[in-house]
Amino acid sequence: MGQLGFDFGEQPKRLTRVTPARLSTFDDCPRRYRMNYLDRPTPQRSGPWAHSTLGAVVHTALRELFDLPVQRRTPERAAALVTQHWKDGGFADAEQAAVYRERARRWVADYVEHNDVSGDPVGLERWVSAPAAPEGGPPSLIVEGRADRIDARGGELVVVDYKTGKRAPDEYEARASQALALYAVAAARTLRKPCRRVELHHLPSGTIAAAEHTDDSLRRQLRRAHETATDLRTATDTLSEGGDPDEVFPARTGRHCAWCDFRPSCADGRRAAQAVLPWALLASRDDGAMTE
Ligand code: SF4
């Protein structure tokens, strides 16, 4: 039996594999999903985003920090790892990149200074996977993905997700996050331990937003994932049977088109929102939300 009491003994004919990233991309805009995951060659995309570059560097630095022996996990070492892995992709110029490099160094140094980093995580960017049955009975989907960090605390697992965006997330967001809930289900199954607690660690503000899931709250998230996965599967099958790509995977325009990677290949999105500059979504408000 799994964490939620599912019986995995009976195998269905067809399981849909889903990651949190695929589900949220499809929910946000089916056309974007198609361009990202199905269209080959991949349609033209925009260049790098500074906030994505920054987030990737911070994630890498923290992963490598926890690979070190405990006595070497110092604020200085954490800052040095940011410098070591730094990239300038998406920043306005070298000067702006240097400002954010220093900010990122300070964020990770403060993180090490103010949090207990002496425990050895059981997973660092670890791939976890689980069959899941939101309605009970045989599983209908496989949820999987790469969790930033999985801790073992007091006999249970804790899913940790690092955030480097503009706004500090709150407990409601931690509880409502489909990605965190699915990682909790998959971690429990992969690592064979209960996992109910999920945490968002926001580096720029030094805050942690946490939530404790119940069987019911995890089941609700799985049900939602199942519904999206069913729509996604139907659309994919219809496309492969010759369906019209724009009807089967319609454009869902909105503010998000301003920073969509596939704007260069999507006339609807370009009409719907003015593009923002590649550094407009950085954590600090100092640069403003500048548009092209
Ligand atoms: S630009 Fe907008 S409508 Fe076009 S793919 Fe991106 S999110 Fe979808």
Side-chain angles (χ1 to χ4, degrees):
M1 300 281 267
Q3 173 170 288
L4 296 176
F6 301 146
D7 179 356
F8 296 115
E10 190 185 338
Q11 291 299 313
K13 290 196 178 84
R14 210 172 176 206
L15 288 171
T16 304
R17 306 186 86 91
V18 292
T19 64
R22 280 180 178 248
L23 290 174
S24 73
T25 302
F26 185 77
D27 268 340
D28 289 347
C29 176
R31 177 182 287 178
R32 184 175 180 192
Y33 177 93
R34 193 198 79 216
M35 288 180 165
N36 199 18
Y37 295 110
L38 301 177
D39 287 355
R40 295 295 178 267
T42 304
Q44 189 194 349
R45 315 170 70 129
S46 57
W49 292 89
H51 67 282
S52 301
T53 302
L54 181 67
V57 171
V58 168
H59 278 71
T60 302
L62 289 172
R63 187 196 67 224
E64 293 204 359
L65 184 85
F66 279 99
D67 271 338
L68 294 171
V70 173
Q71 64 275 18
R72 292 184 61 203
R73 295 178 197 164
T74 61
E76 296 75 22
R77 186 68 198 139
L81 285 168
V82 167
T83 305
Q84 184 183 326
H85 292 287
W86 187 257
K87 292 185 177 66
D88 284 354
F91 288 93
D93 50 34
E95 194 182 338
Q96 188 196 46
V99 168
Y100 278 91
R101 188 178 61 230
E102 281 315 301
R103 282 185 192 165
R105 282 171 51 87
R106 199 176 63 237
W107 295 344
V108 297
D110 286 350
Y111 184 81
V112 173
E113 185 80 43
H114 300 299
N115 292 279
D116 180 4
V117 294
S118 62
D120 282 326
V122 292
L124 289 171
E125 296 189 3
R126 172 158 187 175
W127 188 260
V128 286
S129 170
E135 306 301 339
S140 57
L141 70 164
I142 295 177
V143 295
E144 55 192 11
R146 204 175 292 283
D148 286 349
R149 196 174 100 203
I150 303 169
D151 291 347
R153 300 184 213 154
E156 296 213 354
L157 303 173
V158 178
V159 173
V160 172
D161 198 37
Y162 301 124
K163 293 289 173 194
T164 57
K166 283 188 178 194
R167 207 173 38 78
D170 58 20
E171 286 172 22
Y172 172 80
E173 282 171 81
R175 185 174 308 283
S177 165
Q178 183 180 59
L180 289 182
L182 297 186
Y183 286 138
V185 170
R189 173 72 173 177
T190 302
L191 298 167
R192 306 278 172 189
K193 274 199 172 123
C195 183
R196 301 180 186 284
R197 185 176 175 86
V198 296
E199 295 181 350
L200 293 170
H201 292 205
H202 184 248
L203 275 292
S205 64
T207 57
I208 294 176
E212 296 276 346
H213 276 292
T214 61
D215 278 1
D216 276 349
S217 65
L218 290 175
R219 203 181 296 278
R220 272 197 301 278
Q221 293 281 10
L222 282 174
R223 210 172 284 132
R224 232 185 88 211
H226 172 77
E227 285 166 12
T228 306
T230 302
D231 291 347
L232 205 165
R233 180 107 213 187
T234 303
T236 305
D237 288 350
T238 307
L239 183 70
S240 66
E241 287 158 10
D244 180 336
D246 288 332
E247 280 181 20
V248 180
F249 288 89
R252 192 166 293 152
T253 57
R255 278 186 61 234
H256 55 270
C257 297
W259 52 85
C260 174
D261 281 349
F262 290 101
R263 277 182 68 85
S265 305
C266 181
D268 292 323
R270 290 197 301 276
R271 276 193 296 274
Q274 193 180 3
V276 293
L277 289 169
W279 53 89
L281 303 181
L282 284 165
S284 169
R285 290 171 194 277
D286 296 353
D287 301 291
M290 294 168 280
T291 55
E292 282 178 338

mmCIF file with all atom_site columns, all heavy atoms in Angstrom, residues 29 31-32 35 251-253 256-257 260 262-263 266 269, ligand 1:
data_model
loop_
_atom_site.group_PDB
_atom_site.id
_atom_site.type_symbol
_atom_site.label_atom_id
_atom_site.label_alt_id
_atom_site.label_comp_id
_atom_site.label_asym_id
_atom_site.label_entity_id
_atom_site.label_seq_id
_atom_site.pdbx_PDB_ins_code
_atom_site.Cartn_x
_atom_site.Cartn_y
_atom_site.Cartn_z
_atom_site.occupancy
_atom_site.B_iso_or_equiv
_atom_site.pdbx_formal_charge
_atom_site.auth_seq_id
_atom_site.auth_comp_id
_atom_site.auth_asym_id
_atom_site.auth_atom_id
_atom_site.pdbx_PDB_model_num
ATOM   1   N  N   . CYS A 1 29  ? -1.097 27.229 -20.880 1.00 0.00 ? 29  CYS A N   1
ATOM   2   C  CA  . CYS A 1 29  ? -1.347 27.451 -22.317 1.00 0.00 ? 29  CYS A CA  1
ATOM   3   C  C   . CYS A 1 29  ? -1.059 26.165 -23.092 1.00 0.00 ? 29  CYS A C   1
ATOM   4   O  O   . CYS A 1 29  ? 0.106  25.783 -23.242 1.00 0.00 ? 29  CYS A O   1
ATOM   5   C  CB  . CYS A 1 29  ? -0.476 28.591 -22.845 1.00 0.00 ? 29  CYS A CB  1
ATOM   6   S  SG  . CYS A 1 29  ? -0.662 28.813 -24.636 1.00 0.00 ? 29  CYS A SG  1
ATOM   7   N  N   . ARG A 1 31  ? -1.029 25.600 -26.222 1.00 0.00 ? 31  ARG A N   1
ATOM   8   C  CA  . ARG A 1 31  ? -0.128 25.806 -27.376 1.00 0.00 ? 31  ARG A CA  1
ATOM   9   C  C   . ARG A 1 31  ? 1.332  25.811 -26.930 1.00 0.00 ? 31  ARG A C   1
ATOM   10  O  O   . ARG A 1 31  ? 2.199  25.244 -27.584 1.00 0.00 ? 31  ARG A O   1
ATOM   11  C  CB  . ARG A 1 31  ? -0.447 27.122 -28.092 1.00 0.00 ? 31  ARG A CB  1
ATOM   12  C  CG  . ARG A 1 31  ? 0.535  27.385 -29.249 1.00 0.00 ? 31  ARG A CG  1
ATOM   13  C  CD  . ARG A 1 31  ? 0.270  28.705 -29.940 1.00 0.00 ? 31  ARG A CD  1
ATOM   14  N  NE  . ARG A 1 31  ? -0.925 28.648 -30.749 1.00 0.00 ? 31  ARG A NE  1
ATOM   15  C  CZ  . ARG A 1 31  ? -1.412 29.697 -31.431 1.00 0.00 ? 31  ARG A CZ  1
ATOM   16  N  NH1 . ARG A 1 31  ? -0.782 30.875 -31.381 1.00 0.00 ? 31  ARG A NH1 1
ATOM   17  N  NH2 . ARG A 1 31  ? -2.501 29.583 -32.144 1.00 0.00 ? 31  ARG A NH2 1
ATOM   18  N  N   . ARG A 1 32  ? 1.553  26.443 -25.804 1.00 0.00 ? 32  ARG A N   1
ATOM   19  C  CA  . ARG A 1 32  ? 2.926  26.483 -25.290 1.00 0.00 ? 32  ARG A CA  1
ATOM   20  C  C   . ARG A 1 32  ? 3.422  25.064 -24.974 1.00 0.00 ? 32  ARG A C   1
ATOM   21  O  O   . ARG A 1 32  ? 4.566  24.711 -25.238 1.00 0.00 ? 32  ARG A O   1
ATOM   22  C  CB  . ARG A 1 32  ? 2.974  27.348 -24.024 1.00 0.00 ? 32  ARG A CB  1
ATOM   23  C  CG  . ARG A 1 32  ? 4.357  27.521 -23.506 1.00 0.00 ? 32  ARG A CG  1
ATOM   24  C  CD  . ARG A 1 32  ? 4.423  28.458 -22.341 1.00 0.00 ? 32  ARG A CD  1
ATOM   25  N  NE  . ARG A 1 32  ? 5.807  28.552 -21.917 1.00 0.00 ? 32  ARG A NE  1
ATOM   26  C  CZ  . ARG A 1 32  ? 6.204  29.094 -20.809 1.00 0.00 ? 32  ARG A CZ  1
ATOM   27  N  NH1 . ARG A 1 32  ? 5.345  29.646 -20.000 1.00 0.00 ? 32  ARG A NH1 1
ATOM   28  N  NH2 . ARG A 1 32  ? 7.475  29.124 -20.505 1.00 0.00 ? 32  ARG A NH2 1
ATOM   29  N  N   . MET A 1 35  ? 4.324  23.408 -28.277 1.00 0.00 ? 35  MET A N   1
ATOM   30  C  CA  . MET A 1 35  ? 5.587  23.894 -28.844 1.00 0.00 ? 35  MET A CA  1
ATOM   31  C  C   . MET A 1 35  ? 6.779  23.365 -28.049 1.00 0.00 ? 35  MET A C   1
ATOM   32  O  O   . MET A 1 35  ? 7.819  23.023 -28.610 1.00 0.00 ? 35  MET A O   1
ATOM   33  C  CB  . MET A 1 35  ? 5.601  25.419 -28.837 1.00 0.00 ? 35  MET A CB  1
ATOM   34  C  CG  . MET A 1 35  ? 4.651  26.023 -29.866 1.00 0.00 ? 35  MET A CG  1
ATOM   35  S  SD  . MET A 1 35  ? 4.720  27.827 -29.813 1.00 0.00 ? 35  MET A SD  1
ATOM   36  C  CE  . MET A 1 35  ? 3.916  28.238 -31.348 1.00 0.00 ? 35  MET A CE  1
ATOM   37  N  N   . ALA A 1 251 ? -4.236 28.333 -28.251 1.00 0.00 ? 251 ALA A N   1
ATOM   38  C  CA  . ALA A 1 251 ? -3.487 29.385 -27.549 1.00 0.00 ? 251 ALA A CA  1
ATOM   39  C  C   . ALA A 1 251 ? -4.331 29.904 -26.392 1.00 0.00 ? 251 ALA A C   1
ATOM   40  O  O   . ALA A 1 251 ? -5.530 30.127 -26.557 1.00 0.00 ? 251 ALA A O   1
ATOM   41  C  CB  . ALA A 1 251 ? -3.174 30.515 -28.511 1.00 0.00 ? 251 ALA A CB  1
ATOM   42  N  N   . ARG A 1 252 ? -3.730 30.061 -25.231 1.00 0.00 ? 252 ARG A N   1
ATOM   43  C  CA  . ARG A 1 252 ? -4.431 30.677 -24.095 1.00 0.00 ? 252 ARG A CA  1
ATOM   44  C  C   . ARG A 1 252 ? -3.683 31.953 -23.770 1.00 0.00 ? 252 ARG A C   1
ATOM   45  O  O   . ARG A 1 252 ? -2.691 31.941 -23.055 1.00 0.00 ? 252 ARG A O   1
ATOM   46  C  CB  . ARG A 1 252 ? -4.451 29.720 -22.909 1.00 0.00 ? 252 ARG A CB  1
ATOM   47  C  CG  . ARG A 1 252 ? -5.396 30.153 -21.797 1.00 0.00 ? 252 ARG A CG  1
ATOM   48  C  CD  . ARG A 1 252 ? -5.636 29.020 -20.821 1.00 0.00 ? 252 ARG A CD  1
ATOM   49  N  NE  . ARG A 1 252 ? -6.377 27.912 -21.413 1.00 0.00 ? 252 ARG A NE  1
ATOM   50  C  CZ  . ARG A 1 252 ? -6.272 26.647 -21.026 1.00 0.00 ? 252 ARG A CZ  1
ATOM   51  N  NH1 . ARG A 1 252 ? -5.470 26.322 -20.058 1.00 0.00 ? 252 ARG A NH1 1
ATOM   52  N  NH2 . ARG A 1 252 ? -6.988 25.706 -21.625 1.00 0.00 ? 252 ARG A NH2 1
ATOM   53  N  N   . THR A 1 253 ? -4.142 33.050 -24.362 1.00 0.00 ? 253 THR A N   1
ATOM   54  C  CA  . THR A 1 253 ? -3.398 34.300 -24.228 1.00 0.00 ? 253 THR A CA  1
ATOM   55  C  C   . THR A 1 253 ? -3.687 34.990 -22.898 1.00 0.00 ? 253 THR A C   1
ATOM   56  O  O   . THR A 1 253 ? -4.702 34.750 -22.262 1.00 0.00 ? 253 THR A O   1
ATOM   57  C  CB  . THR A 1 253 ? -3.750 35.260 -25.382 1.00 0.00 ? 253 THR A CB  1
ATOM   58  O  OG1 . THR A 1 253 ? -5.157 35.466 -25.379 1.00 0.00 ? 253 THR A OG1 1
ATOM   59  C  CG2 . THR A 1 253 ? -3.310 34.717 -26.734 1.00 0.00 ? 253 THR A CG2 1
ATOM   60  N  N   . HIS A 1 256 ? 0.703  36.448 -19.253 1.00 0.00 ? 256 HIS A N   1
ATOM   61  C  CA  . HIS A 1 256 ? 1.873  35.552 -19.286 1.00 0.00 ? 256 HIS A CA  1
ATOM   62  C  C   . HIS A 1 256 ? 2.539  35.523 -20.666 1.00 0.00 ? 256 HIS A C   1
ATOM   63  O  O   . HIS A 1 256 ? 3.684  35.101 -20.784 1.00 0.00 ? 256 HIS A O   1
ATOM   64  C  CB  . HIS A 1 256 ? 1.481  34.142 -18.841 1.00 0.00 ? 256 HIS A CB  1
ATOM   65  C  CG  . HIS A 1 256 ? 0.347  33.557 -19.624 1.00 0.00 ? 256 HIS A CG  1
ATOM   66  N  ND1 . HIS A 1 256 ? -0.968 33.718 -19.257 1.00 0.00 ? 256 HIS A ND1 1
ATOM   67  C  CD2 . HIS A 1 256 ? 0.325  32.832 -20.771 1.00 0.00 ? 256 HIS A CD2 1
ATOM   68  C  CE1 . HIS A 1 256 ? -1.753 33.103 -20.132 1.00 0.00 ? 256 HIS A CE1 1
ATOM   69  N  NE2 . HIS A 1 256 ? -0.999 32.569 -21.071 1.00 0.00 ? 256 HIS A NE2 1
ATOM   70  N  N   . CYS A 1 257 ? 1.829  35.958 -21.703 1.00 0.00 ? 257 CYS A N   1
ATOM   71  C  CA  . CYS A 1 257 ? 2.443  35.981 -23.042 1.00 0.00 ? 257 CYS A CA  1
ATOM   72  C  C   . CYS A 1 257 ? 3.610  36.978 -23.086 1.00 0.00 ? 257 CYS A C   1
ATOM   73  O  O   . CYS A 1 257 ? 4.476  36.876 -23.963 1.00 0.00 ? 257 CYS A O   1
ATOM   74  C  CB  . CYS A 1 257 ? 1.408  36.353 -24.099 1.00 0.00 ? 257 CYS A CB  1
ATOM   75  S  SG  . CYS A 1 257 ? 0.071  35.156 -24.252 1.00 0.00 ? 257 CYS A SG  1
ATOM   76  N  N   . CYS A 1 260 ? 6.561  34.737 -22.294 1.00 0.00 ? 260 CYS A N   1
ATOM   77  C  CA  . CYS A 1 260 ? 6.592  33.358 -22.814 1.00 0.00 ? 260 CYS A CA  1
ATOM   78  C  C   . CYS A 1 260 ? 7.790  33.168 -23.744 1.00 0.00 ? 260 CYS A C   1
ATOM   79  O  O   . CYS A 1 260 ? 8.043  33.998 -24.623 1.00 0.00 ? 260 CYS A O   1
ATOM   80  C  CB  . CYS A 1 260 ? 5.300  33.064 -23.572 1.00 0.00 ? 260 CYS A CB  1
ATOM   81  S  SG  . CYS A 1 260 ? 5.307  31.460 -24.393 1.00 0.00 ? 260 CYS A SG  1
ATOM   82  N  N   . PHE A 1 262 ? 8.003  31.282 -26.171 1.00 0.00 ? 262 PHE A N   1
ATOM   83  C  CA  . PHE A 1 262 ? 7.628  31.005 -27.562 1.00 0.00 ? 262 PHE A CA  1
ATOM   84  C  C   . PHE A 1 262 ? 6.972  32.186 -28.269 1.00 0.00 ? 262 PHE A C   1
ATOM   85  O  O   . PHE A 1 262 ? 6.407  32.029 -29.347 1.00 0.00 ? 262 PHE A O   1
ATOM   86  C  CB  . PHE A 1 262 ? 6.738  29.750 -27.610 1.00 0.00 ? 262 PHE A CB  1
ATOM   87  C  CG  . PHE A 1 262 ? 7.518  28.503 -27.295 1.00 0.00 ? 262 PHE A CG  1
ATOM   88  C  CD1 . PHE A 1 262 ? 7.454  27.926 -26.044 1.00 0.00 ? 262 PHE A CD1 1
ATOM   89  C  CD2 . PHE A 1 262 ? 8.367  27.946 -28.233 1.00 0.00 ? 262 PHE A CD2 1
ATOM   90  C  CE1 . PHE A 1 262 ? 8.198  26.798 -25.736 1.00 0.00 ? 262 PHE A CE1 1
ATOM   91  C  CE2 . PHE A 1 262 ? 9.121  26.823 -27.939 1.00 0.00 ? 262 PHE A CE2 1
ATOM   92  C  CZ  . PHE A 1 262 ? 9.037  26.242 -26.684 1.00 0.00 ? 262 PHE A CZ  1
ATOM   93  N  N   . ARG A 1 263 ? 7.070  33.368 -27.683 1.00 0.00 ? 263 ARG A N   1
ATOM   94  C  CA  . ARG A 1 263 ? 6.552  34.577 -28.352 1.00 0.00 ? 263 ARG A CA  1
ATOM   95  C  C   . ARG A 1 263 ? 7.012  34.698 -29.803 1.00 0.00 ? 263 ARG A C   1
ATOM   96  O  O   . ARG A 1 263 ? 6.217  35.026 -30.683 1.00 0.00 ? 263 ARG A O   1
ATOM   97  C  CB  . ARG A 1 263 ? 7.026  35.841 -27.613 1.00 0.00 ? 263 ARG A CB  1
ATOM   98  C  CG  . ARG A 1 263 ? 6.232  36.247 -26.419 1.00 0.00 ? 263 ARG A CG  1
ATOM   99  C  CD  . ARG A 1 263 ? 6.802  37.526 -25.843 1.00 0.00 ? 263 ARG A CD  1
ATOM   100 N  NE  . ARG A 1 263 ? 6.613  38.656 -26.728 1.00 0.00 ? 263 ARG A NE  1
ATOM   101 C  CZ  . ARG A 1 263 ? 5.515  39.398 -26.771 1.00 0.00 ? 263 ARG A CZ  1
ATOM   102 N  NH1 . ARG A 1 263 ? 4.516  39.122 -25.967 1.00 0.00 ? 263 ARG A NH1 1
ATOM   103 N  NH2 . ARG A 1 263 ? 5.426  40.413 -27.598 1.00 0.00 ? 263 ARG A NH2 1
ATOM   104 N  N   . CYS A 1 266 ? 4.676  32.817 -31.963 1.00 0.00 ? 266 CYS A N   1
ATOM   105 C  CA  . CYS A 1 266 ? 3.255  32.857 -31.636 1.00 0.00 ? 266 CYS A CA  1
ATOM   106 C  C   . CYS A 1 266 ? 2.691  34.264 -31.843 1.00 0.00 ? 266 CYS A C   1
ATOM   107 O  O   . CYS A 1 266 ? 2.821  35.142 -30.982 1.00 0.00 ? 266 CYS A O   1
ATOM   108 C  CB  . CYS A 1 266 ? 3.058  32.416 -30.184 1.00 0.00 ? 266 CYS A CB  1
ATOM   109 S  SG  . CYS A 1 266 ? 1.333  32.399 -29.683 1.00 0.00 ? 266 CYS A SG  1
ATOM   110 N  N   . GLY A 1 269 ? 0.127  35.460 -29.174 1.00 0.00 ? 269 GLY A N   1
ATOM   111 C  CA  . GLY A 1 269 ? 0.745  35.911 -27.935 1.00 0.00 ? 269 GLY A CA  1
ATOM   112 C  C   . GLY A 1 269 ? 1.355  37.301 -28.077 1.00 0.00 ? 269 GLY A C   1
ATOM   113 O  O   . GLY A 1 269 ? 1.261  38.124 -27.153 1.00 0.00 ? 269 GLY A O   1
HETATM 114 S  S1  . SF4 B 2 .   ? 2.825  33.572 -26.352 1.00 0.00 ? 1   SF4 B S1  1
HETATM 115 FE FE1 . SF4 B 2 .   ? 0.979  33.217 -25.056 1.00 0.00 ? 1   SF4 B FE1 1
HETATM 116 S  S2  . SF4 B 2 .   ? -0.506 32.168 -26.393 1.00 0.00 ? 1   SF4 B S2  1
HETATM 117 FE FE2 . SF4 B 2 .   ? 1.534  32.010 -27.368 1.00 0.00 ? 1   SF4 B FE2 1
HETATM 118 S  S3  . SF4 B 2 .   ? 2.361  30.069 -26.690 1.00 0.00 ? 1   SF4 B S3  1
HETATM 119 FE FE3 . SF4 B 2 .   ? 3.115  31.610 -25.276 1.00 0.00 ? 1   SF4 B FE3 1
HETATM 120 S  S4  . SF4 B 2 .   ? 1.641  31.636 -23.577 1.00 0.00 ? 1   SF4 B S4  1
HETATM 121 FE FE4 . SF4 B 2 .   ? 0.655  30.573 -25.303 1.00 0.00 ? 1   SF4 B FE4 1
#
